Amino acid sequence: MSTIFSAALCRARKEAGFSTAYRFFYDNGGAQGIGFSYRQYLRMEEGKSLPECNKLNKLFLALRIPLFSTATHELAIAWLKTMTGKEAYAYVFSALIREQTGESALSPIHTVVKSAMEGRKYYINHEQYRAILTNPDTFICFTALSSDTGAWSADQTAKALRLSKEAADAAMKILAAVKILKRMKNGDYKCPLASKDLELPHFDATEPELQAKMLKYKNDLIALGTGEWGCGGILRADSTVLRNLYPVMMMNIPTAQAYAISRKTDRSALFYIECKVVKLRDF
């Protein structure tokens, strides 16, 4: 028996790129990542159970829906309608929510980019994510080799990434153990995910230890790089209204994937691309 929330949940899960409830649950780290057992989650999709309000956060993060976006709004409203019933929602909550929540107008580029990336999405699961963040060597090996379809020996990887051969070999073995790399008969490694649009677990859905490692490894890597281009500006805006900009900015990252290549050229390099909003002062 379907409910308003279960229908919205199944739709959001499919739109996020998870074809089945099983893949969604385990690719997001299972019970630890989502906060429910697999059976509990299945009951939600079947309309037999409704998650507690304080457990919605992890579920929304696993669905990769942007905070304050139309998708978040729709799923939250579906939960509230199912919890209270349509009649109570219509008479008690609807007017209040309309006054406080505005839907963001998304540009047509969302549809274009989503269509272009269809079938290329691959979600790095939590086991793989922990392996990637084993140490700085595994992090840089993943970052580099996941963007190349060629075969790499430990010696080649070491020279390209400024590692010792021993460190490169150890890192590649760790990544191969979780199927990020595949060891070939001659001892070289290839990344079977190199042609995919890879998405890491949502930062806020991971353990504090992994969050600290990700920030450190990423910042250390960026610090050794050279700035290629930058653009910024200061504006005064209403913080609630400005949130409608966030989903539009988020599209810059998947849009950048259109420029990604998987084979070396004379001028190829690894680039870090970032979208950021910084609150300077209340004013």
Side-chain angles (χ1 to χ4, degrees):
M1 181 182 76
S2 178
T3 64
I4 297 173
F5 179 76
S6 67
L9 177 60
C10 289
R11 184 168 60 252
R13 186 252 300 159
K14 291 175 183 176
E15 289 177 354
F18 299 100
S19 58
T20 65
Y22 182 89
R23 283 266 57 91
F24 172 70
F25 182 81
Y26 287 103
D27 286 352
N28 278 292
Q32 183 179 3
I34 297 183
F36 309 95
S37 69
Y38 181 54
R39 182 57 192 153
Q40 287 173 323
Y41 177 73
L42 274 183
R43 288 177 61 82
M44 293 176 207
E45 286 209 1
E46 294 168 351
K48 299 176 181 178
S49 177
L50 193 66
E52 298 174 14
C53 184
N54 62 359
K55 292 188 175 182
L56 287 175
N57 185 47
K58 276 193 171 184
L59 189 60
F60 282 24
L61 292 177
L63 288 166
R64 310 304 206 279
I65 51 178
L67 190 62
F68 309 121
S69 68
T70 301
T72 307
H73 173 70
E74 290 178 347
L75 200 56
I77 294 303
W79 180 88
L80 189 56
K81 284 182 177 179
T82 305
M83 171 64 75
T84 63
K86 286 185 178 180
E87 187 174 341
Y89 175 82
Y91 283 96
V92 180
F93 297 104
S94 60
L96 295 173
I97 291 173
R98 276 201 301 269
E99 290 175 358
Q100 296 177 2
T101 307
E103 294 189 1
S104 58
L106 302 181
S107 78
I109 196 172
H110 284 72
T111 303
V112 175
V113 172
K114 183 177 179 181
S115 176
M117 303 304 290
E118 196 76 33
R120 288 186 55 194
K121 181 77 71 177
Y122 180 90
Y123 290 100
I124 297 293
N125 62 44
H126 282 237
E127 180 187 9
Q128 292 172 323
Y129 189 58
R130 280 188 284 271
I132 291 166
L133 296 178
T134 299
N135 54 49
D137 301 332
T138 52
F139 180 71
I140 185 59
C141 281
F142 163 76
T143 303
L145 300 185
S146 64
S147 64
D148 192 280
T149 55
W152 289 77
S153 68
D155 190 50
Q156 290 173 319
T157 303
K159 290 178 181 177
L161 302 181
R162 305 174 198 169
L163 301 173
S164 69
K165 182 178 179 180
E166 293 74 21
D169 185 57
M172 295 166 88
K173 285 177 179 176
I174 291 172
L175 296 176
V178 292
K179 299 183 179 180
I180 289 175
L181 296 181
K182 182 178 181 180
R183 184 180 173 90
M184 304 171 67
K185 290 182 179 179
N186 66 353
D188 290 351
Y189 292 87
K190 291 189 72 171
C191 181
L193 310 178
S195 60
K196 298 289 186 179
D197 173 24
L198 303 182
E199 185 159 338
L200 300 174
H202 194 290
F203 183 79
D204 292 334
T206 59
E207 306 96 288
E209 178 190 1
L210 294 182
Q211 292 178 3
K213 281 188 172 184
M214 170 55 81
L215 288 175
K216 177 173 173 50
Y217 298 164
K218 182 186 73 174
N219 291 336
D220 287 350
L221 197 57
I222 293 170
L224 294 173
T226 56
E228 288 286 311
W229 182 83
C231 181
I234 298 176
L235 75 156
R236 189 184 191 187
D238 182 284
S239 59
T240 301
V241 177
L242 188 64
R243 291 169 182 169
N244 291 327
L245 176 66
Y246 299 172
V248 178
M249 291 182 66
M250 288 182 67
M251 290 306 299
N252 288 329
I253 305 303
T255 300
Q257 290 293 328
Y259 296 90
I261 57 176
S262 57
R263 292 186 180 276
K264 184 174 178 57
T265 70
D266 292 339
R267 289 178 290 182
S268 61
L270 292 173
F271 293 90
Y272 176 72
I273 300 171
E274 181 178 40
C275 297
K276 181 187 292 186
V277 174
V278 179
K279 184 177 179 180
L280 303 177
R281 298 285 191 281
D282 287 320
F283 176 66

